[in-house]
Amino acid sequence: MAGGARTVYIAGAGIAGLTLALSLAKFGASVVVLERNRAIQEVGAGLQVSPNARRVLNQLGLDKQVSAASFEPEGIDLYPFAAARPLTTLKLGATARARFGVPYAVMHRADLADLLHKACKRFANIEMLFGVHGYDAVSHARDVSVTLEEANGRPRSGRAFAFIGADGVNSTTRTHILGGPAAEQHNRVAWRVLLDIGALEGTVALDRTSVLFGPGFHAVCYPLPHRGKLNVALFAKEPPRPPQAAAPTDPDLPALVLRSRQFAAILKAAKGQWSYWPLGTVSAEQWHHGGIGLIGDAAHALLPFQAQGAAMAIEDAAILAPLLMTEPRAAAALHRFVALRRARVDQVARISASNGLAFHLDWPLSLGRDLILQMQGPEGHLRRLAWLYGYDAAPEIDMRAPARPPTASRTEREHRH
């Protein structure tokens, strides 16, 4: 590969893989994306594009596209269980934009994947292979050998500078190629549904996100106006089901849920329409071997209670791309990547797990949670999470010089704890 463009294979055409492909292509790499599905297929519903992720997307030239497909909520209404009114409203909107320089937005996961895919298609140095039946990679001293079976059954092989698994929580790259662990199940489930935007009018605000706390469960609702939909995600504790068991069509929640006007309205509006998703996490000791590495959920799938899964994947891509383009060996690039990422991702994982406990507290412990939220005030979360939202994962990089680690923004440095 001396004297030519570096070739990087990426397994997975989800948000992590497409962001990495786009980031590498802008630096001049030759990129091959492998996807088992026959088209872009992002499951799920909504996601939150916090400022740390939005900076990366903007630096990739996607500001207008993300703005057109997303919504900036004015704030987050927090409802104690069965409360008629919010306990407090955490400020977002113009306040978050002024503090961090970019918006805090919500959007449909498929819309983000679609705009990333369209951006990738504009690059002649990105090849996307859909319907791939299987792939394997072996790391050597100077490069990586890759074998795969294309959609038509034809075998294909190649040599690459690196092979990156961005293939999600059930990553083949992690479990089969690197011999890493399977995802861990946590007896928690997410129920997701998209309702017509007026389905809960008068129940939750349509210019803000609503978080509804309950004993052992909680829900998050926010509008997606360009789709005319309201995204609802309901999280609950539930023992694992046998793999062969049919997915249920409605949440099985305790009868006391009907004491909440908001929960009662959601369950009525969404009856029979829910999608069922058991929640899994990944805690892999090894994120790479030689020139084969992992990013996003394949390396560190998180519980969703800080809404940072997609954001961490986007950060991963922004940090790994310049390292792969400037380090002399992929193994060195991946070693630096792990050193830069692991502590931050671990911190987000701890906060996500802690939030999951706090959101589901029963009375009277929930009173302590509510008191703390009130004492922090409507901007307390922005100060507390400045280290997270103020992070710049993709500062301007001089490609003639060795890659430098990403730096904290001024906001993050001022508020880091």
Side-chain angles (χ1 to χ4, degrees), residues 108-413:
H108 195 284
R109 182 175 294 270
D111 291 337
L112 179 56
D114 182 61
L115 67 88
L116 286 167
H117 180 224
K118 287 177 178 175
C120 285
K121 289 199 296 184
R122 293 196 291 268
F123 283 84
N125 51 330
I126 298 179
E127 180 182 9
M128 305 194 71
L129 301 178
F130 290 96
V132 172
H133 294 302
Y135 45 82
D136 197 5
V138 178
S139 183
H140 307 287
R142 300 182 65 86
D143 60 9
V144 177
S145 59
V146 181
T147 56
L148 61 106
E149 184 179 341
E150 295 185 359
N152 59 9
R154 184 169 54 206
R156 174 170 167 174
S157 62
R159 306 290 282 198
F161 181 72
F163 183 97
I164 306 300
D167 42 356
V169 63
N170 296 313
S171 167
T172 296
T173 308
R174 183 186 70 250
T175 57
H176 294 290
I177 297 177
L178 294 180
E184 301 173 26
Q185 301 302 315
H186 291 268
N187 296 342
R188 293 173 184 261
V189 63
W191 298 85
R192 299 185 177 111
V193 67
L194 287 174
L195 300 174
D196 289 338
I197 199 161
L200 298 180
E201 189 171 1
T203 303
V204 297
L206 295 182
D207 63 343
R208 300 187 292 280
T209 295
S210 298
V211 177
L212 313 170
F213 298 133
F217 52 88
H218 81 284
V220 180
C221 313
Y222 48 79
L224 300 171
H226 76 289
R227 280 179 168 253
K229 297 293 183 180
L230 183 75
N231 179 71
V232 180
L234 193 157
F235 303 91
K237 297 177 182 178
E238 182 177 301
R241 294 173 180 268
Q244 68 275 13
T249 57
D250 288 289
D252 181 17
L253 297 176
L256 63 80
V257 70
L258 298 179
R259 287 171 43 196
S260 164
R261 181 175 68 90
Q262 294 88 2
F263 276 108
I266 289 170
L267 294 174
K268 180 179 179 181
K271 186 173 179 60
Q273 302 178 58
W274 296 96
S275 296
Y276 172 85
W277 298 101
L279 298 181
T281 62
V282 171
S283 180
E285 279 294 318
Q286 187 176 1
W287 290 10
H288 81 97
H289 172 71
I292 302 171
L294 303 169
I295 66 168
D297 282 355
H300 49 65
L302 311 172
L303 289 170
F305 306 132
Q306 188 57 58
Q308 283 292 299
M312 289 297 103
I314 290 168
E315 284 187 11
D316 282 354
I319 290 170
L320 181 56
L323 294 174
L324 287 174
M325 296 304 293
T326 54
E327 289 288 345
R329 294 285 180 266
L334 288 162
H335 180 77
R336 290 192 63 190
F337 168 75
V338 174
L340 289 169
R341 292 302 290 158
R342 190 179 287 276
R344 178 170 170 84
V345 170
D346 286 349
Q347 188 172 4
V348 176
R350 287 191 296 270
I351 291 174
S352 299
S354 176
N355 286 348
L357 296 174
F359 292 171
H360 293 182
L361 287 174
D362 204 346
W363 189 90
L365 295 177
S366 60
L367 298 177
R369 174 201 63 206
D370 297 346
L371 179 61
I372 290 171
L373 290 171
Q374 282 188 310
M375 290 175 62
Q376 287 181 347
E379 295 186 36
H381 64 301
L382 298 180
R383 294 188 295 271
R384 178 171 53 84
L385 295 172
W387 66 271
L388 180 59
Y389 298 155
Y391 188 72
D392 188 353
E396 292 298 325
I397 292 174
D398 182 356
M399 292 304 296
R400 297 167 298 180
R404 295 179 179 179
T407 58
S409 69
R410 178 175 60 83
T411 302
E412 183 190 357
R413 291 194 300 269

